[in-house]
Amino acid sequence: MGKAHSRALSALASLDVPLRPSLVSISGRTAEPLERARSQWGWAEAVTDWRDQVADDRVRLFDNAGPNAVHSEPTIAAARNGKHVLCEKPLATTASEAHSMWSEAEQAGVVHMTGFNYRFVPAVRLAREVLESGDLGEVVHFRARYLQSWGWDADEALWRCAPAQAGTGVIGDLGAHIVDLARYLVGELAVVSASLRTIVPERRVEDHFVATVEFENGVLGTLEASRVARGRANQNTFEINGSEGSLSFDAERLNELQLSDTKHFRRVLTTEPEHPFMRFWWPPGHIVGWGDTFTNELAHLLEAVAGEHAVAPHGATFEDGYRCAEVCDAIVRSAADGTRKSIDYRQKPLG
């Protein structure tokens, strides 16, 4: 994530955005690789303590791309110091911690965003526009799955495999993305029934989960994520069915949205000038990549900081990060005792 965010911030220097970022400092735990990253991506300074950044008056935006366990404390400290904050997903290791982050950012009056970059895929944004147009009719089904395979051979020393650093395994890593897409596209989730499994022997976090969900608007759906799906490098896919048509997306075909009427699907290549975000990029037919979603995301955030629009509804605020965390916590609780769980969202904090 440090690479993805650094690349995106560098790219913004040449795009039509209201604020051009200056790369003041990058932080990390180990000096030697940190210095290599600083040099490669053009950061002015490298520090091994995030507290130096929080205290630095030159830093106006604090971008937290660290492991899950260090999302809360540095981000809250930055917000209290009046810095706008971007924090990678999942916002925190628990919903309670995420709610505290949302509360602190609201009380500080800073702009805040959770890093759900798939909202900034042109095809995903187009899917939202199609849904808002009513062309699909009444939505009746939502299904999503996020499959990778690296978990079979993962080094157990990786922070993503350590409960103290990651909180959960595949739920916070991949599941959070599809929960957020479900909320962004269909609406708030109300009930979940889930199962999870740890498949690799001796692993301390879950490798796989499946869940059925009910939305507040009555739509039914399914969610599945795995880090042990052989042959799947990064299949993040969803399908939405309505009374008048359907749409489907697969991140392994990032620039395409599949749309149907009542009978047939057709492919839409989302590279036309009128498609979302393409004002930043290339002539029609020339595709964009996964890394460019972070550029789109950070451009949106800088526009929000400049007052051109709010982060919501298209960007994920800390409220979105918190609500996603409530769903993820409910998945864990449901799997633990085998019962359906209603999702209770806490009140909005006072700003």
Side-chain angles (χ1 to χ4, degrees):
M1 286 300 100
K3 180 178 181 179
H5 285 237
S6 295
R7 176 186 179 276
L9 288 164
S10 297
L12 289 171
S14 61
L15 298 180
D16 183 19
V17 291
L19 299 172
R20 301 287 175 85
S22 174
L23 305 187
V24 175
S25 71
I26 183 172
S27 67
R29 291 169 292 182
T30 309
E32 187 174 337
L34 179 62
E35 175 56 29
R36 289 198 299 269
R38 184 209 65 77
S39 176
Q40 179 181 3
W41 295 107
W43 293 91
E45 298 175 2
V47 297
T48 55
D49 191 336
W50 56 262
R51 294 169 184 82
D52 294 337
Q53 294 178 315
V54 168
D56 192 334
D57 290 336
R58 298 172 299 166
V59 175
R60 300 283 306 283
L61 168 65
F62 185 78
D63 183 347
N64 189 337
N68 303 346
V70 292
H71 283 183
S72 179
E73 184 184 4
T75 303
I76 287 174
R80 287 176 175 175
N81 274 19
K83 303 180 191 307
H84 305 299
V85 283
L86 168 63
C87 185
E88 261 302 327
K89 50 62 56 185
L91 184 58
T93 57
T94 66
S96 293
E97 193 174 60
H99 191 271
S100 296
M101 294 173 69
W102 177 29
S103 299
E104 292 281 356
E106 284 287 299
Q107 291 168 14
V110 298
V111 175
H112 49 85
M113 176 183 273
T114 307
F116 285 111
N117 66 298
Y118 283 102
R119 290 188 179 213
F120 294 90
V121 174
V124 172
R125 179 67 63 83
L126 182 60
R128 166 88 177 217
E129 293 178 1
V130 170
L131 288 161
E132 290 177 336
S133 74
D135 288 350
L136 298 190
E138 178 187 359
V139 174
V140 293
H141 298 151
F142 174 85
R143 57 186 63 84
R145 65 180 183 270
Y146 200 154
L147 307 179
Q148 296 180 346
S149 61
W150 63 270
W152 284 112
D153 305 311
D155 182 350
E156 296 303 311
L158 289 173
W159 71 263
R160 291 188 186 278
C161 295
Q165 291 295 310
T168 58
V170 72
I171 294 171
D173 185 13
L174 307 183
H177 272 303
I178 55 177
V179 168
D180 182 69
L181 288 172
R183 294 187 59 255
Y184 178 58
L185 296 169
V186 178
E188 210 65 77
L189 285 82
V191 180
V192 62
S193 178
S195 296
L196 59 84
R197 293 287 185 274
T198 301
I199 296 172
V200 176
E202 310 301 326
R203 181 154 296 159
R204 294 172 292 161
V205 294
E206 78 287 350
D207 294 308
H208 177 220
F209 87 90
V210 292
T212 58
V213 296
E214 298 179 21
F215 293 79
E216 290 181 355
N217 56 18
V219 174
L220 297 178
T222 58
L223 306 174
E224 178 186 7
S226 175
R227 298 194 295 204
V228 290
R230 288 289 193 194
R232 293 299 183 188
N234 190 51
Q235 188 192 54
N236 179 4
T237 181
F238 61 79
E239 180 169 313
I240 301 172
N241 306 123
S243 58
E244 301 298 325
S246 299
L247 60 80
S248 179
F249 168 78
D250 184 343
E252 292 184 341
R253 302 183 72 88
L254 193 71
N255 290 261
E256 299 178 14
L257 184 66
Q258 298 286 332
L259 293 175
S260 84
D261 52 21
T262 58
K263 293 183 179 180
H264 304 290
F265 273 94
R266 61 186 174 89
R267 184 190 75 145
V268 176
L269 186 63
T270 57
T271 62
E272 294 299 318
E274 67 271 17
H275 286 147
F277 310 114
M278 294 313 295
R279 65 187 177 91
F280 290 145
W281 302 112
W282 318 119
H286 294 70
I287 62 176
V288 299
W290 176 82
D292 301 322
T293 67
F294 294 92
T295 306
N296 296 340
E297 178 181 59
L298 280 155
H300 181 87
L301 177 58
L302 292 180
E303 290 168 355
V305 170
E308 293 192 357
H309 53 67
V311 170
H314 294 303
T317 64
F318 278 13
E319 178 178 6
D320 292 301
Y322 154 70
R323 287 176 175 266
C324 177
E326 284 285 12
V327 178
C328 291
D329 279 9
I331 289 171
V332 173
R333 294 197 306 273
S334 175
D337 64 16
T339 64
R340 287 160 46 96
K341 299 296 182 184
S342 296
I343 304 167
D344 298 318
Y345 299 101
R346 296 167 225 195
Q347 293 183 344
K348 178 180 177 67
L350 297 177

